Amino acid sequence: LLLICISQILRESECSGMMPSDFSGCSFVEPAERAMIDSFKAMDLLAYATQLKSSGRHICHMEVGQPSTSAPKAVIRAAQEALLNDRIGYTAALGRGNLRSAIARHYWDKYKVSVPAERVIVTTGSSA
């Protein structure tokens, strides 16, 4: 919403050069209805549980599947190596092809389930 408002303000001559406190006389573009997404309820619950925990309450987190252990040492070493060798950057939107293929192979090797690599998507698992 903020980016939409700022871009609209910059296009309107009566509002150019204004500070945010002066925006009251400007007209804004309303965001599309599809942009009005409710928050992810589990993240709301996590925020509430974190607030309770910070006030001294004992909380047993069961809301989002947060790992209770740190990353495996091999994963930490691989991340460090990638950072040191400048191999960090954007990848294909669906994930790296070799990783998607390896995950598909894993499903066959471990579970005897055939999953085409094209059906595997690797994301950050982000929630809003």
Side-chain angles (χ1 to χ4, degrees):
L1 176 61
L2 179 61
L3 290 176
I4 293 170
C5 292
I6 290 171
S7 66
Q8 181 66 20
I9 289 166
L10 293 176
R11 285 195 299 264
E12 296 187 15
S13 60
E14 76 270 12
C15 297
S16 62
M18 296 175 74
M19 297 301 292
S21 59
D22 299 326
F23 289 166
S24 61
C26 299
S27 58
F28 295 97
V29 174
E30 289 297 320
E33 193 173 310
R34 66 182 175 276
M36 299 303 179
I37 301 170
D38 287 338
S39 62
F40 185 43
K41 299 301 181 208
M43 299 310 289
D44 292 345
L45 185 57
L46 175 61
Y48 181 62
T50 302
Q51 178 185 0
L52 290 174
K53 188 174 186 176
S54 70
S55 70
R57 299 274 301 269
H58 174 74
I59 303 295
C60 177
H61 288 281
M62 298 175 66
E63 65 275 347
V64 293
Q66 179 83 358
S68 59
T69 60
S70 62
K73 300 275 188 255
V75 171
I76 293 171
R77 283 192 299 273
Q80 289 171 330
E81 181 185 328
L83 287 166
L84 290 172
N85 293 312
D86 201 27
R87 292 194 330 235
I88 304 298
Y90 287 110
T91 62
L94 299 178
R96 293 175 59 171
N98 59 345
L99 177 58
R100 296 169 67 205
S101 295
I103 292 170
R105 272 192 313 279
H106 170 77
Y107 271 84
W108 177 253
D109 294 344
K110 183 148 178 100
Y111 307 108
K112 299 297 183 229
V113 174
S114 178
V115 178
E118 300 79 31
R119 305 266 329 247
V120 176
I121 298 172
V122 179
T123 70
T124 60
S126 171
S127 297

